[in-house]
Structure formats: structure tokens, C-alpha cells
Amino acid sequence: MGTNSGLYALTEEHEAIRAAVRDIAEREIAPYAAEVDAESRYPIEAQKALTAAGFHATHIPEAYGGEGADALATCIVIEEVARVDMSASLIPAVNKLGSMPVILSASEDLKQKVLAPIAAGEAMISYGLSEREAGSDAAAMKTRARLEGDSWVLNGTKAWITNSGVSEWYTVMAVTDPGKGANGISAFAVHRDDPGFAVGPKERKMGIKGSPTRELYFTDCTIPADRIIGAPGTGFKTALRTLDFTRPTIGAQAVGVAQGALDASVAYVKERKQFGKAVSEFQGVQFVLADMEMKIQAARHLVYVAAAAGEQGRSDVTRVSASAKAFASDVAMQVTTDAVQLFGGAGYTQDFPVERMMRDAKITQIYEGTNQVQRMVIARSLLR
Ligand SMILES: Cc1cc2nc3c(=O)[nH]c(=O)nc-3n(C[C@H](O)[C@H](O)[C@H](O)COP(=O)(O)OP(=O)(O)OC[C@H]3O[C@@H](n4cnc5c(N)ncnc54)[C@H](O)[C@@H]3O)c2cc1C
């Protein structure tokens, strides 16, 4: 297969990674998923297991002590973790989201400083773009950074930041040249020990309750001048380019949670008896399962194509990544909702995982750009 074929190739190594992650996920992550959700607590067992096996940030290049795994491998890791626990899948997913701006645009020194501890499993990283009043319209952000001597001084508040409080590092987008709109935004690497940095209380969410979401506060937060990621004014471009590489990972989460819901449904309908037989014997039930399977297969292929598009440097990567994210997350919502339906009343209780999966799936339609925003991105690219 050519390097710019527009498709992807799954190797034996990819399959080996899938088998290894599935084993860890089932033995060391799945047993805690219900408890993590019920108690809204961080899935520390998952973090330990993923880090011990080197699956916490597989995308980091070998030059910084990482595994140097390709985008497809990273998607497979995230998919397999999400199949048992969406919250835990945000550990590898957000490590990629937070570090991609650094990988794409930072100086060599900053890459070493930030990426090496993440690769070593000694630190995690979050991504700070959104604000309360600047979500879909992220370029309307108000957080400011000004150069004072050898330091950048940040002021403002970021909202909805995944894994904040747990992460040591934060990539933060802030306005450095207010007259210039999106071209006046720069990206920075902030460490949680930097003076003037603090995180807020945890949001009380519908799902992914194991993944803390908090605000970030910058009050004359002072960081060394060389913590800027790329040149001043390039931060928003870096933030958007990052999403080309990470929207497939949200698609992978969506495929994973949908697969988890289908697997649970297949097992349940074979066990559950009504009218004197297993409900799996009713064609009406079988057709629901078949539709779930078709949608998941289609979503998985599109997600893998999008992952490969980033690797191949394809010119349509933005459109393909947005398509994969939107399609797979819509599939995840449909499939997890169908799963609850197939479980009947039991599906509506916390005695089975499908209600959690339905709540968790919902976020994949919202973050890294809502699915309305993905459709705007796709249409803009078509009409250009
Ligand atoms: C759990 C969680 C974790 C998150 N993690 C992070 C993170 O780690 N880092 C980060 O930076 N952000 C994060 N976010 C923020 C997330 O990316 C935003 O919530 C999202 O981009 C939507 O922004 P908003 O919430 O302000 O919605 P709004 O922009 O206010 O949108 C409201 C509604 O209007 C629609 N809409 C808006 N504009 C248009 C338009 N032009 N055309 C059509 N419809 C439109 C939207 O689709 C939506 O339905 C997270 C959010 C959540 C809930």
C-alpha cells in the first residue's frame, strides 16, 4: 500500500498491541470502572497499569524516550481502554492532546523538558484552549499573556480542562497581541508549580466521571520566556493543527465505548429469556444487533483512515479527522442507546455497564469541537 493511498494498513504489531491492551483493560481497568463512575474518582489503577505497560503515551517519539508508536497504534490503545472504561481512556487520549502542540511546534529544548517526563510516566499533560465564553468560538478567548523581561505573565481563566489537577503540564493558549484576532494568540507550556497557577473544583458531570474536569486560573502566572510553544502569534494555528491529529482519538474512544456496549448486549440477550426463549432468538432483537455492528465497523474504518491521514500528511486531514470524530461519536450515541434498550429495565440501572456507557458516549459528540462544529469544518472544506 502506498504512503499516500488514503487508506490504512493494520500490521501484526498493531494486532499485538490490541491484544496486550485488551488483556490489561479487562484484568486491571474493567474491574474498577463501575466504582470509578459511582464515586467520581480518578482511575488510578488504570493510570498505573497503562504506565507500567508503556501505554499511557505511546505517541511520544523515541527521541524523547517515548514508544514512537504511530497514530493508528495510539487509536487502538484508546479504543481498547474505552471499551471497558471511557474515563480511563482519557489518560492516553489527553496525553496526546496536551503534548501535540509541543510535538508540532515547540523548540527542541522545550520538547525535551516537557515530553521526556510524560514518556517516562512521571508526568501527564492537559490542553487548555476553551474558556467559559469562548467554546466553539475559541479564538474569542480572553486569557492574556504579556512579555516582561525574561518572563511571560499570564492572566485569565480556562474552562473545561480534562485531567486538570492530575496533570503536571498544561499547554495553554493565550492572547499576546489583542489587535490581531486568531493571529494574536500564542501557545505556552505551563507547569502546575509555576507561581500564579491554580485549578478550580471538579465539574459535576453526566459521564466520564473518573476524568476530572476543572478550570485553570492564571493570576500573574509567571513562566520563563522560553516556555512559549513556537513563535508568538502561531498558537491558535498550533491548537487547530493539534485537533487534526487528536480528533481521531475521540473517534477511537467512541468506537471503543460502542464496542463495549455491543459486547455487553450480545452476552445479555443470549442469557435473558422472555416468552419461553432467549430474547436473542427474536429477529427484532437480532436486527438491532446487526445495525450496531454495521455502524461500529464503519466508524472504526473511518477513524483508522483519519489516523493514517495524519501520518501520511494528507492535505484533506482536517476534513477526514472531523468526519471520523463526528461520525464515530454519533454512532457511539446510537449504539449505546440501543444497548440500554436491549437490556430493558435492567439497562436503566447501575447493575449493568450500559447506562454508564450511554452517559460516557455523550461527551464524544461535544468535546474537541461539537459535532455541529465538525460539520462546519467539513462543509467549509468542501465549499472552499
Ligand atoms: C467534559 C468536558 C471536557 C472537556 N475537555 C476540554 C479540554 O481538555 N480542553 C479544552 O480546551 N476544552 C475542553 N472542553 C471544552 C469543549 O471542547 C467545549 O465544551 C466545546 O468545544 C463546546 O463549547 P461550549 O461548551 O462553549 O459550547 P457552545 O460553543 O456554547 O455551543 C452551544 C451549542 O451551540 C452550537 N453552536 C455553536 N456555534 C455554532 C455554529 N457556528 N453553528 C452551529 N452550531 C453552533 C454548539 O454545537 C452547541 O450545540 C471540554 C468540555 C467538556 C464538557
Side-chain angles (χ1 to χ4, degrees):
M1 190 173 301
T3 52
N4 206 23
S5 63
L7 290 173
Y8 65 89
L10 276 180
T11 62
E12 274 177 25
E13 204 181 338
H14 288 122
E15 295 302 351
I17 288 172
R18 184 189 298 283
V21 181
R22 182 167 292 206
D23 180 56
I24 290 169
E26 287 187 343
R27 280 189 301 107
E28 301 185 57
I29 301 177
Y32 303 99
E35 180 188 311
V36 159
D37 175 65
E39 296 176 4
S40 293
R41 73 160 175 84
Y42 184 70
I44 187 68
E45 300 86 355
Q47 186 188 325
K48 285 182 182 158
L50 292 170
T51 304
F55 290 133
H56 59 293
T58 45
H59 68 286
I60 293 187
E62 287 169 358
Y64 311 103
E67 305 282 334
D70 65 9
L72 194 46
T74 304
C75 278
I76 290 169
V77 170
I78 293 166
E79 176 187 335
E80 288 299 327
V81 177
R83 181 174 158 272
V84 303
D85 183 3
M86 268 265 305
S87 289
S89 75
L90 281 157
I91 293 167
V94 175
N95 271 338
K96 179 156 184 181
L97 175 65
S99 62
M100 255 348 263
V102 176
I103 292 171
L104 290 172
S105 304
S107 70
E108 200 50 39
D109 282 354
L110 191 56
K111 283 185 187 175
Q112 284 292 351
K113 188 178 182 69
V114 175
L115 300 177
I118 298 166
E122 294 157 3
M124 303 221 304
I125 185 163
S126 294
Y127 174 88
L129 176 67
S130 306
E131 298 181 3
R132 286 281 162 198
E133 303 307 327
S136 298
D137 185 12
M141 68 178 65
K142 292 276 185 296
T143 298
R144 292 283 171 90
R146 61 175 198 277
L147 193 58
E148 275 190 15
D150 284 344
S151 303
W152 286 100
V153 180
L154 281 73
N155 278 288
T157 302
K158 291 288 166 184
W160 309 114
I161 309 307
T162 299
N163 287 351
S164 46
V166 182
S167 289
E168 282 77 6
W169 284 101
Y170 297 81
T171 45
V172 177
M173 276 45 83
V175 177
T176 46
D177 196 341
K180 287 199 180 161
N183 291 324
I185 292 170
S186 305
F188 301 91
V190 177
H191 191 272
R192 70 170 172 200
D193 294 338
D194 288 329
F197 174 78
V199 300
K202 275 200 295 188
E203 303 289 346
R204 295 170 304 151
K205 305 194 299 288
M206 170 194 282
I208 54 164
K209 289 177 182 241
S211 170
T213 313
R214 305 171 191 263
E215 289 188 330
L216 310 180
Y217 307 130
F218 303 91
T219 314
D220 284 334
C221 174
T222 306
I223 61 173
D226 61 6
R227 293 264 206 89
I228 191 165
I229 299 172
T234 61
F236 198 68
K237 278 196 199 76
T238 298
L240 293 192
R241 265 190 77 207
T242 290
L243 300 177
D244 288 344
F245 294 94
T246 57
R247 282 177 175 155
T249 69
I250 305 304
Q253 279 192 312
V255 169
V257 72
Q259 187 67 55
L262 176 58
D263 293 349
S265 300
V266 168
Y268 185 81
V269 297
K270 288 200 280 192
E271 286 294 317
R272 175 69 178 165
K273 289 190 175 57
Q274 287 293 282
F275 301 99
K277 49 173 124 166
V279 296
S280 61
E281 291 184 41
F282 300 117
Q283 198 174 52
V285 167
Q286 293 172 3
F287 281 13
V288 176
L289 292 174
D291 281 342
M292 292 161 87
E293 166 68 12
M294 283 191 276
K295 288 173 187 171
I296 293 171
Q297 280 201 41
R300 180 177 288 117
H301 286 301
L302 187 52
V303 166
Y304 292 180
V305 166
E311 291 282 330
Q312 295 162 359
R314 271 172 50 184
S315 56
D316 61 351
V317 60
T318 301
R319 182 167 73 206
V320 179
S321 288
S323 302
K325 188 274 190 190
F327 186 82
S329 58
D330 286 350
V331 161
M333 202 62 236
Q334 293 160 8
V335 166
T336 55
T337 305
D338 285 345
V340 170
Q341 192 69 19
L342 288 179
F343 274 69
Y348 203 66
T349 71
Q350 290 172 12
D351 299 336
F352 294 93
V354 288
E355 66 83 34
R356 180 186 83 238
M357 291 168 168
M358 183 178 163
R359 287 184 285 109
D360 287 349
K362 183 63 201 172
I363 192 59
T364 61
Q365 295 181 305
I366 296 174
Y367 58 19
E368 292 206 22
T370 66
N371 282 3
Q372 285 78 15
V373 166
Q374 308 305 325
R375 287 174 169 86
M376 278 166 52
V377 169
I378 296 162
R380 199 185 294 146
S381 150
L382 285 173
L383 297 170
R384 185 155 33 220

